[in-house]
Amino acid sequence: MSFRDNLQHLRAERNMTQEQLAMLLGVSRQSVTKWEAERSTPELDKLLKMCQIFDCTLDDLVTGDLTARVAAPDGSDEKTSPHTVPQVPAGPPQDICGYEEHQLKMAWKVPAGVAVILLGIAFGLLFEGSVELASWNGRDGLFVIIVLVGILAGLAFLVPAGMDHAAFQKAHPFVEDFYTDEDRAAARKTFSASLIAGVAFIFAGIGALLMLEEMAENWALFFLMLFIALGAWWIIRGGMLLGRTNVAEYNRSVGEDLEVEEIMSLQVDEARRDALLARRRRGSKLGAICGTIMILATIVGLALLFAPVLTSANPDDFEPLGTSAAWFWVAWPVGGMICGIVALIWEAFGRDES
């Protein structure tokens, strides 16, 4: 009995599609197809993982005859151990690796972290000047303390979320797209509602600022930042809920987020590893281009700042906020926009379909 026959029998026994097995192993569906067509052989780590999934020994899987096994009603093998093995329903691809649950957690943690930071600024503006503390960089000390506390509280959401996402990417470098057209339509509808709600909150904050500015400036600024925080929460959450349905983009982004050493250590087939490395190289090139653009923007900004004093006949008469020096800061936003344009063009004309 061949490995191919054993693998096909074990999948059929559990109503498991090639896509579902590929997701469990962290490889592409094409890899499973090649194994069952005997055009390639899985690596040892994949064979060991299949032994865990199908509750069998390596010798039985590769050279034995597992088609004679009788599966118990609970999915276990009566001839081996009574442990339950994965049972996957037949039909379209399923979310086996927990992608949906992970993305829903991310869509809560990231907006919460950003909103908490903005709320820290709001409360800092509200209580600024209420207690006499030493000033720092022109701001009341209490304001600085509250803002720093808000930043720390926000990072308590953002840092673990980022670490969890990096760990998930390493564990699941490839996810089979299991979302339906109805799922994507619902995500677009949710994003539209969230965007409208977010913009409405921001407009409400601007309205509160205009109404309260003359009576109580601190309260006006507080409500402005409060509503901006609520608006940011809705917009970011809606965007992440929509973005989670783009599984293809997730698969592409793994190559940009992981380091070369991490990609080499992933338990994926060679074709997928090569695609990830190619994506990583493209991301590195784009990062180098954007870095060069921002360095040039910095040079232009410094030139705008110091050119008047260097060209002035009497440097003592130089006014740091006069003439072109007042516009030196524009160089960085312009550089950022150029980077964004380059990134869009790079993605549009240099995309490496993996």
Side-chain angles (χ1 to χ4, degrees):
M1 186 62 61
S2 66
F3 164 73
R4 175 188 66 178
D5 295 330
N6 286 329
L7 181 58
Q8 290 177 338
H9 170 75
L10 292 171
R11 282 200 309 103
E13 188 180 52
R14 290 156 181 80
N15 295 324
M16 184 183 294
T17 65
Q18 290 183 341
E19 290 87 352
Q20 292 161 350
L21 177 60
M23 290 176 63
L24 289 173
L25 298 174
V27 299
S28 64
R29 181 191 59 80
Q30 289 77 9
S31 297
V32 180
T33 301
K34 290 179 181 179
W35 297 341
E36 296 189 353
E38 294 187 329
R39 295 202 302 267
S40 66
T41 304
E43 299 173 353
L44 178 60
D45 59 307
K46 303 299 185 299
L47 291 172
L48 295 176
K49 186 68 177 292
M50 279 187 272
C51 290
Q52 295 176 356
I53 294 173
F54 297 121
D55 192 20
C56 63
T57 65
L58 183 59
D59 290 339
D60 288 341
L61 178 63
V62 177
T63 61
D65 182 5
L66 294 176
T67 60
R69 289 202 315 183
V70 179
D74 64 350
S76 62
D77 181 9
E78 292 180 346
K79 292 186 178 182
T80 56
S81 64
H83 299 300
T84 302
V85 295
Q87 292 290 315
V88 185
Q94 303 290 319
D95 179 19
I96 300 176
C97 61
Y99 175 85
E100 173 76 358
E101 180 182 1
H102 168 72
Q103 293 291 354
L104 290 178
K105 288 182 179 179
M106 291 289 295
W108 177 81
K109 292 180 179 179
V110 173
V114 175
V116 168
I117 292 175
L118 295 175
L119 285 175
I121 299 175
F123 281 101
L125 292 170
L126 177 63
F127 292 103
E128 184 178 16
S130 60
V131 178
E132 292 187 5
L133 293 175
S135 61
W136 181 82
N137 198 25
R139 303 296 312 204
D140 181 79
L142 183 60
F143 169 83
V144 175
I145 293 173
I146 295 177
V147 170
L148 290 177
V149 171
I151 293 175
L152 290 175
L155 291 177
F157 289 93
L158 296 175
V159 172
M163 296 176 65
D164 290 343
H165 188 61
F168 186 86
Q169 285 183 318
K170 292 179 184 179
H172 307 285
F174 179 82
V175 175
E176 193 76 24
D177 191 353
F178 58 89
Y179 289 106
T180 63
D181 292 338
E182 290 76 13
D183 295 332
R184 293 185 174 86
R188 289 193 295 269
K189 184 177 180 181
T190 299
F191 172 71
S192 300
S194 299
L195 180 62
I196 294 173
V199 173
F201 274 116
I202 294 174
F203 283 169
I206 296 174
L209 175 66
L210 296 176
M211 290 188 296
L212 299 176
E213 187 176 15
E214 297 296 331
M215 297 180 291
E217 182 179 359
N218 281 28
W219 280 101
L221 294 174
F222 167 76
F223 280 113
L224 172 65
M225 293 306 303
L226 173 64
F227 285 116
I228 288 178
L230 294 173
W233 189 90
W234 278 102
I235 294 173
I236 296 173
R237 177 171 172 78
M240 295 188 70
L241 290 176
L242 176 63
R244 87 188 196 282
T245 61
N246 191 352
V247 181
E249 181 60 31
Y250 166 85
N251 291 331
R252 287 194 295 266
S253 69
V254 172
E256 295 179 349
D257 295 339
L258 298 180
E259 298 296 333
V260 175
E261 295 79 6
E262 295 173 333
I263 294 176
M264 295 302 296
S265 64
L266 290 176
Q267 296 183 358
V268 295
D269 58 283
E270 290 298 326
R272 181 61 184 161
R273 182 179 289 111
D274 292 341
L276 292 176
L277 289 172
R279 186 72 180 179
R280 183 72 177 92
R281 287 192 291 269
R282 289 183 60 249
S284 299
K285 292 178 182 178
L286 179 59
I289 294 174
C290 286
T292 303
I293 292 174
M294 294 310 297
I295 290 175
L296 294 175
T298 301
I299 294 174
V300 172
L302 294 176
L304 291 173
L305 181 63
F306 292 106
V309 68
L310 295 176
T311 58
S312 176
N314 184 7
D316 294 335
D317 296 335
F318 171 66
E319 296 181 3
L321 295 180
T323 63
S324 63
W327 297 95
F328 78 98
W329 58 271
V330 177
W332 287 277
V334 172
M337 288 188 289
I338 295 175
C339 282
I341 294 173
V342 170
L344 290 175
I345 296 175
W346 185 280
E347 187 70 15
F349 294 99
R351 174 168 293 181
D352 182 358
E353 296 296 342
S354 52

